[in-house]
Amino acid sequence: MTASLPHQGSWPDGEERPAEDRRHMIRRRALTLLIIVLLIGIPAGYLVISANQSRDSGKDKEAKYSATGLTEGWPSKLQRRIYQVPVPHPAWHVAYYETNNWKTSRLYVQFETNAAGLDAYLTGLGMTRDDLKKDHITIGARDRKVTGWKFPEGDSWYGFVHRQKNPAPTHDVVVDLSNPAYPWVYAVSRTVP
């Protein structure tokens, strides 16, 4: 015995349903295709874009944390706050490098600024130009080796050590005043976690 299929009823007023013309069929299929593309294509496109952004972010972080020397650019605001390194505005040729271990964390920063920027930097540390001592290279050989900094004798080098009570960082600062209008500042901020 075969099961009978339900019969589709006619239109409410008893007339037969008119046959679908070709234009209406094409319009219906196009609308169906558009809906399918919107429901599948937009989320798929979003996933592709999101995956690319995530991969790029990982590459940026990998480059940042695999750096083995000074990296061009400004240290993050968080780094500047933790290490109490007030990089002034304006500052050019800014570069930094951070090292961390179980005993001591260090932030190395170098930049070029103008005379007012140097004064602002020193004020941010609670120091003045009077605290700068001529031919006083305060950055040790170990730190110079890490950064590649060289401070040849006979130039206009000034420096000081800004010691603070733990856990506040200690700053070793060297300033190149060979061009007083545009001094270079080299700083190592050390903190004990």
Side-chain angles (χ1 to χ4, degrees), residues 98-120:
E98 182 181 17
T99 62
N100 296 300
N101 62 36
W102 64 275
K103 189 175 178 183
T104 305
S105 296
R106 288 180 174 84
L107 179 67
Y108 303 87
V109 179
Q110 76 176 33
F111 57 88
E112 181 183 19
T113 187
N114 58 21
L118 176 60
D119 292 335

Side-chain angles (χ1 to χ4, degrees), residues 101-169:
N101 62 36
W102 64 275
K103 189 175 178 183
T104 305
S105 296
R106 288 180 174 84
L107 179 67
Y108 303 87
V109 179
Q110 76 176 33
F111 57 88
E112 181 183 19
T113 187
N114 58 21
L118 176 60
D119 292 335
Y121 171 74
L122 294 172
T123 301
L125 291 178
M127 308 296 271
T128 66
R129 284 188 188 238
D130 294 336
D131 296 310
L132 292 171
K133 297 175 186 161
K134 186 167 176 55
D135 297 326
H136 192 60
I137 306 296
T138 58
I139 297 175
R142 178 203 173 281
D143 293 328
R144 284 184 271 174
K145 183 178 179 184
V146 168
T147 58
W149 291 334
K150 294 178 180 20
F151 305 116
E153 292 183 25
D155 289 331
S156 300
W157 299 105
Y158 293 79
F160 64 86
V161 176
H162 179 233
R163 286 186 175 77
Q164 302 181 87
K165 187 176 179 182
N166 279 339

Side-chain angles (χ1 to χ4, degrees), residues 61 74 97:
K61 288 178 184 174
W74 288 62
Y97 179 57

